[in-house]
Amino acid sequence: MVIFLNHFNNKEQPVWAYTYNKKTDQALHVSLNSILSILGTVARICVLIPVTKGLGQLKWVWFAEKERVLTDFDKFEAATRGLTGSAMLMWRLRGRHFAAIGALAMMLALGFDAFVQNLVTYYVAYEPNSGVGAYIGGTVTVYSAVGAWNSAVNSVDRRMKADVMASLLDVDASTKQPSYYCDTGNCTWTQYATLSVCSHCADLTPQLVKNCTFGETGPYLAADGGSCSYTLPSGLSIGGDGPYISHVVSIMNTSMEPVVYTNYTAEQRLGLVQSISAFDAIFVNDTSPVVASECVLVPCVQSLNTTVRTVDPLYSLGSSDTVNYTEMVLEVWEGFNTDETTSALVLEPPASDLHGITRGQIFNLTAASTRAIQSYISFTLDALVRCNGPDYYRYESGSTAAGASSAPDASEAIYNRALSNCGENVTDKNICAIQAIADAMTKSIRDTGFWDSNASPGQGWTSGDSLRPVSK
């Protein structure tokens, strides 16, 4: 039994088959527990035979020592047949005779099978499944996708535009997940690097300057609340002059000079957004919960580990609620510079096998794609929200340019965004939205390998390990 268990320890459960009429793979449906039960029964018999023989001999020794009552003879005979007889003999001998050990052995033998079954415990382990695919959007070193020509620059690629709007509308968690293919529903991709978009945000609320006019009254403005405006050092402001003015309760601007992120040049940035908002406010007054922030979007390179686990193995495998998608960022590199020849933004991170970076590997955001993204961010996030009364909000673009048509939709989505989807301790929906936009843009960049049918490993998608659940 020890040899048998040691042979199958930490190994996949065996499947025994037989050949019948020249047909193979006919399963026997015999488990390890079945074999153990058989071995346990044999072992128990091997133990009980000498015990019963020994009790038979000790019976005569018991009577040879001195005169005994004849009922003791029945007790010895009963002890060789089961639990009750063994218990009666134990009580009669009071442990003062060697035969008591045999009676005890008979009693313990009844629990032998149960303990044998507990010798085996099973657990599920995941092992590589050879010959099965596992691919994910990653290892993107060049992003050159653009949309149609629009005035002086290309528009942003339609897929990126769709991903950004989906992220603002809180469609679902998949808006930040790249496309992937996982045959088994359990896959891992380790230590790979890809071109990405990173966001950084700073709280500017302490720098707001409040200017209030008290004493005015109106249907939505208390006299002691005042009519207030809140202004940043850059000149950006919200509020109004009185209770009947169509107050600006939220504004986002993409043309102001940076207050915090001065370390990024205009060429290195994909977008700079300053915002002031009084969420859920009708008019801005002295007690309004006003928040302000500055966010920057920049190209970056991320080194990642990714895991996909199927929540219920009965479901098919894909980007859905039945799949648990987790991603760990190992390292991030920034500091893209403009290539003098192509005007593209390029970066060569230090080579590292631990991060999936090879020597001389250059990550490139082409000039046309850079300008398209910068233009899209500049128009889409230049927006404001006005309020004329309860449930009467107007979402407007801050620009009249043709590319600003999506700004009102973006403004409405951000202003009404659910904070519950923004993580802990986040009170500014604008910061939450910028982070979602960075994730959506990263997804679009990583998905380029899936758009291109000719893409291969290292040119858009990354191969990984497809794992299958194994019961051991």
Side-chain angles (χ1 to χ4, degrees):
M1 191 181 300
V2 172
I3 296 173
F4 177 79
L5 290 173
N6 184 63
H7 177 73
F8 290 105
N9 189 35
N10 290 323
K11 293 182 180 178
E12 185 178 355
Q13 285 193 64
V15 177
W16 289 286
Y18 65 94
T19 302
Y20 178 72
N21 284 341
K22 298 182 180 180
K23 295 181 180 179
T24 58
D25 299 331
Q26 304 295 313
L28 285 174
H29 303 293
V30 177
S31 66
L32 288 177
N33 290 83
S34 299
I35 302 298
L36 278 177
S37 181
I38 295 172
L39 293 176
T41 300
V42 172
R44 184 161 64 92
I45 292 173
C46 293
V47 169
L48 292 181
I49 288 175
V51 171
T52 55
K53 294 294 184 181
L55 284 174
Q57 294 300 318
L58 290 171
K59 171 181 60 180
W60 302 114
V61 173
W62 174 257
F63 282 99
E65 291 176 346
K66 63 178 182 179
E67 292 183 358
R68 307 285 188 183
V69 294
L70 287 178
T71 54
D72 288 350
F73 190 91
D74 291 334
K75 290 182 175 63
F76 271 92
E77 287 296 319
T80 62
R81 299 189 187 100
L83 176 64
T84 304
S86 297
M88 292 174 62
L89 182 61
M90 283 281 291
W91 178 257
R92 173 70 179 89
L93 299 178
R94 301 290 200 280
R96 294 173 297 179
H97 194 271
F98 191 69
I101 297 177
L104 178 62
M106 291 293 293
M107 296 170 66
L108 294 178
L110 294 175
F112 192 81
D113 284 339
F115 286 103
V116 166
Q117 294 296 324
N118 286 327
L119 290 176
V120 179
T121 56
Y122 298 98
Y123 65 94
V124 176
Y126 291 91
E127 294 184 349
N129 196 15
S130 59
V132 179
Y135 313 109
I136 194 170
T139 321
V140 176
T141 56
V142 179
Y143 182 74
S144 58
V146 293
W149 181 260
N150 183 10
S151 183
V153 297
N154 288 93
S155 62
V156 74
D157 181 80
R158 66 184 186 279
R159 299 179 185 88
M160 179 173 286
K161 187 183 298 184
D163 286 334
V164 168
M165 291 308 298
S167 70
L168 292 179
L169 294 170
D170 281 339
V171 175
D172 56 49
S174 65
T175 56
K176 61 184 296 185
Q177 298 173 7
S179 300
Y180 63 84
Y181 177 77
C182 178
D183 249 354
T184 62
N186 297 282
C187 299
T188 59
W189 297 267
T190 58
Q191 300 171 350
Y192 66 96
T194 182
L195 185 64
S196 307
V197 175
C198 293
S199 64
H200 304 284
C201 293
D203 182 14
L204 298 185
T205 305
Q207 300 189 41
L208 286 171
V209 176
K210 180 171 60 176
N211 184 20
C212 298
T213 301
F214 295 92
E216 298 181 3
T217 60
Y220 311 117
L221 182 66
D224 57 352
S227 175
C228 302
S229 64
Y230 291 79
T231 308
L232 284 173
S234 61
L236 191 67
S237 66
I238 64 170
D241 299 327
Y244 300 104
I245 302 298
S246 181
H247 270 43
V248 175
V249 294
S250 181
I251 189 169
M252 301 180 75
N253 185 279
T254 57
S255 60
M256 295 290 182
E257 288 298 314
V259 175
V260 176
Y261 297 108
T262 56
N263 52 321
Y264 298 103
T265 65
E267 292 75 19
Q268 290 176 318
R269 300 191 304 256
L270 298 178
L272 178 77
V273 184
Q274 289 182 4
S275 62
I276 312 174
S277 298
F279 295 109
D280 302 319
I282 299 175
F283 290 101
V284 182
N285 58 29
D286 189 42
T287 60
S288 299
V290 180
V291 293
S293 63
E294 178 178 279
C295 294
V296 64
L297 292 165
V298 294
C300 61
V301 175
Q302 292 182 325
S303 176
L304 306 166
N305 281 346
T306 305
T307 302
V308 170
R309 290 286 182 266
T310 300
V311 176
D312 187 341
L314 297 178
Y315 287 90
S316 60
L317 322 169
S319 303
S320 68
D321 291 338
T322 62
V323 174
N324 183 12
Y325 179 96
T326 57
E327 199 161 72
M328 176 185 296
V329 179
L330 304 178
E331 190 63 74
V332 179
W333 295 272
E334 295 182 1
F336 277 68
N337 294 307
T338 304
D339 184 271
E340 295 180 358
T341 304
T342 64
S343 298
L345 290 177
V346 296
L347 177 66
E348 181 181 345
S352 171
D353 292 336
L354 295 177
H355 298 111
I357 305 290
T358 59
R359 186 176 299 278
Q361 189 173 22
I362 296 177
F363 293 81
N364 183 315
L365 188 63
T366 65
S369 294
T370 300
R371 289 193 295 269
I373 294 173
Q374 289 172 336
S375 176
Y376 176 68
I377 293 296
S378 175
F379 287 136
T380 302
L381 298 183
D382 192 0
L384 53 88
V385 180
R386 297 183 186 274
C387 181
N388 285 357
D391 301 321
Y392 184 23
Y393 292 90
R394 297 206 327 257
Y395 305 96
E396 304 175 4
S397 171
S399 171
T400 58
S405 58
S406 59
D409 291 334
S411 177
E412 181 179 7
I414 295 171
Y415 191 78
N416 295 287
R417 191 179 184 88
L419 276 175
S420 58
N421 297 331
C422 295
E424 297 181 0
N425 302 321
V426 177
T427 58
D428 192 336
K429 299 178 184 180
N430 299 307
I431 292 178
C432 179
I434 297 300
Q435 293 170 343
I437 289 173
D439 291 336
M441 287 185 164
T442 298
K443 166 183 163 57
S444 296
I445 292 173
R446 294 174 63 180
D447 279 353
T448 52
F450 278 79
W451 305 341
D452 184 0
S453 59
N454 298 317
S456 59
Q459 294 180 336
W461 50 264
T462 301
S463 58
D465 293 323
S466 180
L467 307 176
R468 63 188 180 96
V470 175
S471 181
K472 293 186 174 183

